[in-house]
Amino acid sequence: MKAINVLLVCAGGMSTSILMKKLQQYRDEQGVAGQIQAVGLSAYEDVYQDYDVILMGPQVAYRQGEVEAATGLPVAAIPPLDYAVGDSAHIFKLAENLV
């Protein structure tokens, strides 16, 4: 895997913070470079410039088109099951496929 900077976006940034920790651990285990950050919908416009891809929590997936238009970055909603169980391998694959 090449280095990839992933921005996670959810309603308030809280639930995605838990997922962020799992993804960081997976990234470290796989030896992948890059950063992962979790923010709420109200904050993504302040930081998106530093990222390659935006992954959105299922609870805010309805705003995907808006985020894509505002940032010009590839954006995808994390599938609900992957989000719920924190399936880092699937989520990383989703990010990789977008870049």
Side-chain angles (χ1 to χ4, degrees):
M1 254 188 242
K2 68 176 189 120
I4 185 169
N5 296 315
V6 179
L7 182 61
L8 302 170
V9 178
C10 73
M14 297 303 286
S15 60
T16 345
S17 294
I18 296 164
L19 180 61
M20 177 186 73
K21 288 180 182 12
K22 287 184 176 190
L23 288 172
Q24 288 170 335
Q25 181 178 354
Y26 178 82
R27 175 203 61 202
D28 294 344
E29 290 168 358
Q30 299 300 311
V32 177
Q35 70 179 41
I36 302 167
Q37 182 179 349
V39 297
L41 265 171
S42 61
Y44 78 90
E45 289 183 279
D46 297 330
V47 297
Y48 77 88
Q49 300 87 348
D50 298 328
Y51 296 88
D52 302 311
V53 63
I54 297 175
L55 298 180
M56 301 184 70
Q59 70 275 35
V60 294
Y62 69 96
R63 305 267 307 264
Q64 180 177 339
E66 172 191 331
V67 172
E68 220 163 14
T71 64
L73 292 175
V75 179
I78 300 170
L81 183 58
D82 289 345
Y83 188 86
V85 300
D87 190 331
S88 299
H90 279 166
I91 295 168
F92 252 95
K93 191 68 162 167
L94 175 63
E96 267 191 313
N97 290 340
L98 288 171
V99 175

